[in-house]
Amino acid sequence: MSDAPEPETIAIAKLWSWLPAVTVEIACDPSMTVGVKLGLAVCEAYKTDAVLRGAVLTSADLTGADLTGADLTSAVLRGEKITRIFASASRLDGYTFYGVELEAGGWKINAGCRWFTEAQFRAHVAAKYPNTDKATETLAIIDFLATRAAQVGAAPAKEIAA
């Protein structure tokens, strides 16, 4: 009996029915959540230069995904429609941050499982790892993304009251 997981075919749905779904085969533990499987499928699709324009990624876990240069125009990420990825930067530990402009207006930061506005990310850093080298590096990346957002005309996302 082999310990290797059985291959599973995953379809990455598109926002518009006239765009074909992207179908990829991944090998993963069958008990993984749909979101993790979708995240793995997106990573695999990107490796094959698949165009993910209009992809619906609401439940995707993109932790560790390198989406640099990926065409995610009109993709839906965590329930919000993306206009474009305008910048990315990586910390020394390999954690990649993406500045993402939203169709509804404003921009957010996607980094692993984090999907925050600039203010939310700064608050997260202050609460979780203040006064550390990791905080210094993370805040420098957030500063870069904020500067780049201003350069491309992306306004800050509206904060939603909790």
Side-chain angles (χ1 to χ4, degrees), residues 45-131:
Y46 178 68
K47 288 179 195 172
T48 64
D49 294 325
V51 175
L52 298 176
R53 183 173 188 269
V56 179
L57 305 174
T58 305
S59 62
D61 177 358
L62 301 177
T63 304
D66 179 2
L67 302 176
T68 305
D71 180 1
L72 294 175
T73 306
S74 299
V76 177
L77 182 60
R78 302 186 191 215
E80 297 184 87
K81 197 169 181 183
I82 296 170
T83 302
R84 63 182 163 166
I85 297 174
F86 60 82
S88 66
S90 296
R91 261 189 340 227
L92 291 175
D93 62 5
Y95 204 69
T96 302
F97 295 70
Y98 298 94
V100 179
E101 189 172 18
L102 306 174
E103 184 180 87
W107 66 279
K108 283 190 167 179
I109 300 166
N110 178 242
C113 63
R114 308 289 181 220
W115 179 243
F116 290 151
T117 64
E118 177 186 357
Q120 289 169 331
F121 221 120
R122 289 183 188 283
H124 170 74
V125 170
K128 298 295 183 181
Y129 45 94
N131 305 314

